[in-house]
Amino acid sequence: MRDIVSKHRILRLASFAVAGGTGFIVDASVLTLLMKFTPMGPFSARVFAIAAAMFTTWMINRNITFGKSGRHVVKEGARYGFVALMGAGLNYAIYSGLLLAAPGLFPPLAALVIAVAVVTVFSYLGYSRFVFNRA
């Protein structure tokens, strides 16, 4: 029984990683395309890119990683958006905090890796317990 639980957990974590990686690709692609083919700058284009990435990861997490929550899709989406926006804010705060608190100690890439690692744990717990727990 323990092997089944472990395999299920590993598959869920792998699926969550794929969802995050796919979201990153969507985010970067939409940002690049909007900046190249529209008059949008990096800040306004980023809003649409983030929205597209959030929608993409929600669909993957909803249909593959966690399964539907049993809540109405609008309520589930609002909960997902809440956790995702909290995660984005937390990510930026950790990244900025590391760079400002210890200038020269953390290169931007190292601060990014640390922020993403912390927020990945936060997001997984938020999605699995607040968004996709069975209603």
Side-chain angles (χ1 to χ4, degrees), residues 3 20-23 28 32 35 37 48 50 53-54 61 64 67 71 81 87 100-101 113 120 126:
D3 288 341
T22 303
T32 301
M35 288 177 52
F37 295 110
F48 293 99
I50 288 171
M54 279 185 191
N61 283 326
I64 298 170
R71 291 179 181 83
L100 292 171
V113 169
T120 297

Side-chain angles (χ1 to χ4, degrees), residues 4-128:
I4 294 171
V5 172
S6 295
K7 286 180 185 177
H8 177 70
R9 183 168 285 146
I10 289 169
L11 289 173
R12 181 179 274 183
L13 290 171
S15 178
F16 184 73
V18 168
T22 303
F24 177 79
I25 291 168
V26 168
D27 190 346
S29 299
V30 170
L31 178 65
T32 301
L33 291 170
L34 288 175
M35 288 177 52
K36 186 172 184 171
F37 295 110
T38 73
M40 288 185 185
F43 298 106
S44 57
R46 184 82 168 107
V47 171
F48 293 99
I50 288 171
M54 279 185 191
F55 180 78
T56 300
T57 58
W58 175 35
M59 289 295 105
I60 295 169
N61 283 326
R62 179 175 209 265
N63 293 302
I64 298 170
T65 305
F66 299 108
K68 296 175 179 138
S69 68
R71 291 179 181 83
H72 188 276
V73 69
V74 172
K75 189 171 190 176
E76 182 186 282
R79 283 174 166 243
Y80 192 90
F82 176 76
V83 173
L85 289 172
M86 293 285 293
L90 181 60
N91 184 313
Y92 192 78
I94 292 168
Y95 172 83
S96 299
L98 288 171
L99 293 179
L100 292 171
L105 181 61
F106 291 103
L109 189 55
L112 174 65
V113 169
I114 292 167
V116 166
V118 170
V119 173
T120 297
V121 172
F122 168 83
S123 296
Y124 183 83
L125 292 172
Y127 296 147
S128 66

